[in-house]
Amino acid sequence: MKRNRFPSLIIAAALIILLTSSTTVLFIGDSITDGNWGNPVGYPCPTEKRSLTDLNHIYGHGYVFLVSSAYESDHPCADRHFINRGISGNTLADVESRWQSDVIAHHPDVLSILVGTNDVHYWLDGDKSQPFDYKGWEKRYRHLLDLTLDSLPGVKLVIGSPFTAAAGWAGTRDDFSEREAMIDSLAVITSRIAADYNAIYLPYDKMFRELQEIPGLPDGYWIWDGIHPTPAGHRRMADLWLNTVPLPSCPTFSNP
């Protein structure tokens, strides 16, 4: 369903007004977002088994940490809050199963979503008896956004495209060309969804494709295993997020 609720300029203006007061920015997705946040055991675990008070690990060690720490350092604001709810191994269906508790319950003002690579990975590792259900995947994604907008009509959506690279164990498998084609198809879907829902779109796939073309660097420089970014890759993801999503500083803050 297409939900062009407001002209983009009105949305941008409303977002700036909204984010000058109390603001919650929530990131949700799979291991790329997870970054092992609040997780001393080092393996995938649900939100309720993670530490919500250990601020040394609260954002994980990926792009969410870099985005959050940049804003909290450069634009101090007691009324802006960042939350990481990525869980390693999650597919879109897994994210859907925890949407109420890990998204809606927090009433985010900005919701940043990055998911899709595990849907492709598990299908490639499965029996492939049925073709990948692109239409069903898109329907489920749109359902989650509809649910979110119905519960949180003022939320601003940020949608990232899934991505891959010909590097590491995933990039050297015989089925990498199939993985790449499937990821590209999901990127097209996420781009279309973002346009229909007036969401901010982050084309990570295009960004990493261009980075992979920089000469003189090893294949795994930006994405080490074909799926997960290196620290350099996470830095570029954070830069794209920071340069695309408008989060103004508190009106009363002056950076010394």
Side-chain angles (χ1 to χ4, degrees):
M1 180 174 63
K2 193 170 184 178
R3 295 182 69 136
N4 282 313
R5 293 188 163 191
F6 305 101
S8 58
L9 290 177
I10 295 177
I11 290 179
L15 182 62
I16 291 174
I17 294 172
L18 171 68
L19 293 177
T20 56
S21 58
S22 180
T23 303
T24 296
V25 183
L26 191 147
F27 298 82
I28 192 165
D30 48 45
S31 58
I32 299 168
T33 298
D34 186 336
N36 213 31
W37 69 270
N39 184 9
V41 296
Y43 56 80
C45 65
T47 297
E48 59 269 20
K49 292 186 177 181
R50 302 190 185 214
S51 171
L52 303 180
T53 57
D54 180 2
L55 299 187
N56 193 42
H57 301 99
I58 197 66
Y59 297 143
H61 54 243
Y63 76 97
V64 176
F65 168 80
L66 295 171
V67 169
S68 305
S69 61
Y71 264 103
E72 291 185 332
S73 174
D74 296 342
H75 309 286
C77 183
D79 292 324
R80 181 180 296 122
H81 310 284
F82 293 88
I83 299 174
N84 188 342
R85 286 298 178 269
I87 292 183
S88 181
N90 268 198
T91 63
L92 182 60
D94 295 323
V95 168
E96 180 183 42
S97 70
R98 58 189 180 88
W99 200 258
Q100 182 62 44
S101 60
D102 275 359
V103 176
I104 303 299
H106 292 284
H107 298 90
D109 302 291
V110 179
L111 174 61
S112 185
I113 308 166
L114 175 59
V115 69
T117 193
N118 285 319
D119 296 82
V120 170
H121 180 68
Y122 294 148
W123 185 88
L124 289 172
D125 276 1
D127 60 19
K128 302 183 182 179
S129 59
Q130 299 293 327
F132 188 90
D133 187 6
Y134 292 103
K135 289 184 178 179
W137 194 87
E138 180 171 359
K139 182 178 180 181
R140 173 171 273 141
Y141 207 125
R142 290 175 181 269
H143 169 70
L144 286 178
L145 298 188
D146 289 338
L147 176 65
T148 303
L149 291 170
D150 288 341
S151 301
L152 308 167
V155 69
K156 183 60 187 176
L157 301 171
V158 180
I159 295 176
S161 70
F163 52 83
T164 189
W169 63 265
T172 55
R173 282 175 35 154
D174 292 339
D175 61 2
F176 176 74
S177 61
E178 190 172 13
R179 178 189 299 274
E180 186 175 40
M182 293 177 70
I183 291 292
D184 286 347
S185 294
L186 293 188
V188 170
I189 290 173
T190 54
S191 175
R192 180 167 63 239
I193 292 174
D196 288 347
Y197 284 77
N198 288 315
I200 293 174
Y201 187 62
L202 302 176
Y204 292 126
D205 59 326
K206 178 182 177 183
M207 181 193 76
F208 277 116
R209 191 174 294 115
E210 292 174 351
L211 289 173
Q212 289 293 115
E213 294 174 355
I214 296 176
L217 298 175
D219 291 339
Y221 190 87
W222 303 105
I223 298 178
W224 65 275
D225 62 352
I227 296 175
H228 301 93
T230 62
H234 275 287
R235 174 74 263 177
R236 291 301 185 106
M237 289 182 69
D239 288 344
L240 181 60
W241 205 101
L242 290 164
N243 291 330
T244 307
V245 182
L247 293 183
S249 60
C250 290
T252 58
F253 170 71
S254 178
N255 200 351

